[in-house]
Amino acid sequence: MGRRKPKITFNSPVILSFTAVCSVALLLGYVTKGASTDAFFSVYRSSLLSPLTYVRLLGHVCGHAGWEHFIGNIMLLLVVGPLLEEKYGSYNILFVILATALVTGIANCLLFPGVQLLGASGVVFAFILMASFTGSRNGQIPLTFILVAAIYLGQQVYEGIFVANDVANLTHIFGGVIGAILGYAMNRKRMR
């Protein structure tokens, strides 16, 4: 009896496709010296009459400021995302990505009109808080969720108030809240 050779599978279509789009956006940013990132893959307040304003409201989660920013987000996304996609399904994970992009994009335009926002960190935070619900049953709130929420969200609030850096802490907070709400809702729906 012969051994089967390991086979590579396309195990998480939404996460792998999102990673590919983020990779292309980063490479385009380098090739165009940032012009494509400014035009499509970052969000900032602009005219509501411009069609690109609406593209950027979703596209900003695909843009990254550089390799370090990209790798930090994508590594976490590739670790947590496939587990969530397997549990909740591809359509639900795509919905989480799009909802996070839209909410964080609109919030940035309304609250920080002079700030350009880009990166998948809001999505990553949504997934981290969503993942802490994966083991809950019958509408219970797991202690792990409470700890993760307190640590991650607490850190973002602290850094937002006391640390001067270029990190979009409010985006992380919104992403985490979206992940918590959708994780709880999707988990309750699966229990019925």
Side-chain angles (χ1 to χ4, degrees), residues 9 16 22 40 62 71 86 88 90 112 115 117 119 123 126-127 188:
T9 61
L16 291 170
C22 291
F40 306 111
C62 300
I71 289 169
E86 183 178 327
Y88 296 111
S90 297
F112 304 103
V115 175
L117 177 70
V123 174
F127 284 174
R188 279 185 58 100

Side-chain angles (χ1 to χ4, degrees), residues 22-182:
C22 291
S23 301
V24 169
L26 182 66
L27 292 173
L28 279 172
Y30 278 113
V31 169
T32 65
K33 296 183 180 7
S36 63
T37 303
D38 291 342
F40 306 111
F41 304 114
S42 60
V43 69
Y44 43 87
R45 187 176 287 180
S46 59
S47 171
L48 294 176
L49 298 176
S50 170
L52 288 181
T53 297
Y54 304 99
V55 170
R56 287 189 293 268
L57 281 175
L58 297 177
H60 72 96
V61 296
C62 300
H64 289 86
W67 287 106
E68 189 175 318
H69 185 210
F70 171 81
I71 289 169
N73 283 332
I74 296 303
M75 287 303 295
L76 283 168
L77 197 81
L78 288 171
V79 169
V80 179
L83 302 170
L84 293 172
E85 190 168 348
E86 183 178 327
K87 177 170 177 131
Y88 296 111
S90 297
Y91 290 112
N92 285 329
I93 293 305
L94 180 59
F95 178 76
V96 172
I97 292 170
L98 294 174
T100 303
L102 189 61
V103 169
T104 57
I106 291 170
N108 187 73
C109 289
L110 293 176
L111 301 174
F112 304 103
V115 175
Q116 186 172 2
L117 177 70
L118 70 160
S121 56
V123 174
V124 169
F125 271 75
F127 284 174
I128 288 169
L129 281 156
M130 205 174 156
S132 61
F133 273 106
T134 57
S136 70
R137 292 177 176 78
N138 299 327
Q140 298 171 339
I141 298 175
L143 180 58
T144 53
F145 165 75
I146 295 168
L147 292 172
V148 168
I151 291 168
Y152 273 98
L153 296 178
Q155 176 192 20
Q156 295 309 307
V157 169
Y158 172 81
E159 285 184 7
I161 295 170
F162 298 109
V163 179
N165 59 24
D166 291 334
V167 176
N169 301 97
L170 194 60
T171 299
H172 297 168
I173 293 168
F174 279 140
V177 169
I178 291 165
I181 291 168
L182 293 178

